[in-house]
């Protein structure tokens, strides 16, 4: 795969099936991982990733190449996750949350199980905006500037959100220590 993402995206937007297949092959795991982090459920992440792949050909026609392809793709995934959350809320289903994702990771890290479970429960108490930011910055290892671009925010807002996450998690830990 010597072609750049941007070259492949342009080709896929113009109907090149091989370019589209190369893009999906190259980025499927990345899309799935972010979907898993955003939904907290493997099953929901699988469904959401498949939905995104099915919608991607038409979405690519709107890709203008103003940002890196991966930044644009992260935005597509985040928007799809937001849409799924809204659909789930209107149907009255509760989100499985971060617990499923954390439990899968903890199988290999049994000595950290208690700390990871606490983190998973605490993340559920954060707003979806803060969870989205953490998923991109820590989960996907994006810089705050890249996360800001994906979320359509200023870098300062992303920095504030990360600071707010740390502050809230510290407060939750202190509160629980006093119980």
């Amino acid at each position: 795969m010597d072609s750049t993402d941007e070259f492949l995206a342009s080709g896929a937007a113009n109907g090149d099936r091989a370019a589209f297949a190369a893009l999906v092959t190259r980025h499927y795991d990345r899309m799935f991982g972010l979907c898993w982090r955003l939904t907290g459920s493997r099953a929901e992440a699988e469904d959401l990733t498949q939905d995104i792949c099915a919608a991607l050909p038409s979405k690519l026609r709107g890709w203008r190449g103003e940002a890196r392809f991966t930044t644009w793709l992260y935005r597509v995934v985040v928007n799809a996750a937001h849409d799924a959350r809204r659909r789930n809320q209107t149907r009255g289903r509760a989100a499985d949350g971060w617990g499923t994702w954390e439990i899968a990771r903890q199988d290999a890290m049994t000595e950290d199980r208690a700390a990871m479970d606490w983190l998973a429960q605490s993340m559920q108490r954060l707003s979806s905006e803060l969870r989205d930011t953490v998923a991109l910055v820590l989960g996907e290892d994006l810089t705050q500037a890249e996360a800001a671009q994906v979320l359509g925010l200023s870098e300062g807002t992303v920095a504030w959100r990360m600071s707010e996450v740390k502050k809230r998690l510290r407060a939750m830990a202190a509160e629980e220590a006093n119980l």
Side-chain angles (χ1 to χ4, degrees):
M1 292 191 199
D2 296 335
S3 299
T4 66
D5 289 338
E6 290 72 17
F7 177 79
L8 292 172
S10 293
N14 291 318
D16 182 343
R17 291 178 184 213
F20 178 75
L23 276 176
V24 170
T25 300
R26 187 179 288 178
H27 295 287
Y28 187 86
D29 290 342
R30 179 178 286 159
M31 289 187 292
F32 174 75
L34 181 54
C35 286
W36 193 347
R37 287 179 189 89
L38 293 172
T39 64
S41 164
R42 181 177 184 87
E44 284 183 52
E46 289 169 348
D47 290 344
L48 186 57
T49 305
Q50 289 300 313
D51 291 345
I52 291 166
C53 288
L56 207 51
S58 65
K59 292 194 178 296
L60 275 167
R61 285 188 219 106
W63 181 70
R64 297 183 302 268
E66 295 171 354
R68 280 190 356 225
F69 175 76
T70 53
T71 301
W72 176 85
L73 185 60
Y74 280 134
R75 186 71 207 161
V76 168
V77 172
V78 168
N79 285 341
H82 286 181
D83 291 345
R85 280 185 197 140
R86 284 190 287 274
R87 282 191 307 271
N88 288 343
Q89 288 173 349
T90 59
R91 293 180 191 140
R93 289 184 276 163
D96 286 346
W98 287 76
T100 303
W101 176 71
E102 287 298 326
I103 289 170
R105 282 181 23 123
Q106 293 164 19
D107 287 344
M109 305 180 311
T110 56
E111 67 275 357
D112 293 335
R113 183 175 290 290
M116 297 305 285
D117 285 343
W118 178 86
L119 180 60
Q121 292 170 2
S122 298
M123 292 298 288
Q124 278 300 319
R125 294 169 53 191
L126 297 175
S127 68
S128 62
E129 292 82 11
L130 293 177
R131 285 195 314 253
D132 292 349
T133 304
V134 169
L136 290 169
V137 174
L138 297 180
E140 293 300 315
D141 202 25
L142 295 182
T143 66
Q144 290 183 359
E146 291 168 331
Q149 193 172 14
V150 169
L151 295 170
L153 302 170
S154 71
E155 188 175 348
T157 300
V158 172
W160 176 86
R161 283 183 179 182
M162 291 304 296
S163 174
E164 190 66 18
V165 166
K166 291 174 189 173
K167 182 173 76 173
R168 289 185 187 187
L169 289 176
R170 277 190 216 108
M172 286 179 211
E175 178 183 310
E176 290 177 19
N178 292 329
L179 294 177

Short mmCIF file of all heavy atoms in Angstrom, two decimals, residues 17 38 54 105 114:
data_model
loop_
_atom_site.label_atom_id
_atom_site.label_comp_id
_atom_site.label_asym_id
_atom_site.label_seq_id
_atom_site.Cartn_x
_atom_site.Cartn_y
_atom_site.Cartn_z
N ARG A 17 -13.25 1.31 -6.59
CA ARG A 17 -13.53 0.29 -5.58
C ARG A 17 -12.26 -0.24 -4.93
O ARG A 17 -12.24 -0.55 -3.75
CB ARG A 17 -14.33 -0.85 -6.18
CG ARG A 17 -15.72 -0.45 -6.54
CD ARG A 17 -16.48 -1.58 -7.18
NE ARG A 17 -17.79 -1.12 -7.58
CZ ARG A 17 -18.86 -1.88 -7.58
NH1 ARG A 17 -18.76 -3.14 -7.23
NH2 ARG A 17 -20.01 -1.39 -7.96
N LEU A 38 -15.79 4.51 22.22
CA LEU A 38 -16.90 5.46 22.29
C LEU A 38 -18.20 4.80 22.76
O LEU A 38 -19.01 5.46 23.40
CB LEU A 38 -17.12 6.13 20.94
CG LEU A 38 -16.00 7.06 20.48
CD1 LEU A 38 -16.23 7.53 19.05
CD2 LEU A 38 -15.84 8.25 21.42
N ALA A 54 -20.46 0.86 5.57
CA ALA A 54 -21.52 0.87 4.56
C ALA A 54 -21.83 2.29 4.08
O ALA A 54 -22.15 2.50 2.91
CB ALA A 54 -22.79 0.22 5.13
N ARG A 105 -9.85 -5.75 28.42
CA ARG A 105 -8.43 -5.41 28.59
C ARG A 105 -7.86 -5.98 29.87
O ARG A 105 -6.68 -6.33 29.95
CB ARG A 105 -8.26 -3.89 28.61
CG ARG A 105 -8.31 -3.24 27.27
CD ARG A 105 -8.11 -1.75 27.37
NE ARG A 105 -7.41 -1.37 28.57
CZ ARG A 105 -6.28 -0.67 28.60
NH1 ARG A 105 -5.75 -0.25 27.48
NH2 ARG A 105 -5.69 -0.36 29.72
N ALA A 114 -8.87 -3.98 39.97
CA ALA A 114 -9.64 -3.08 40.83
C ALA A 114 -9.51 -1.62 40.36
O ALA A 114 -10.50 -0.89 40.29
CB ALA A 114 -9.20 -3.22 42.28
#
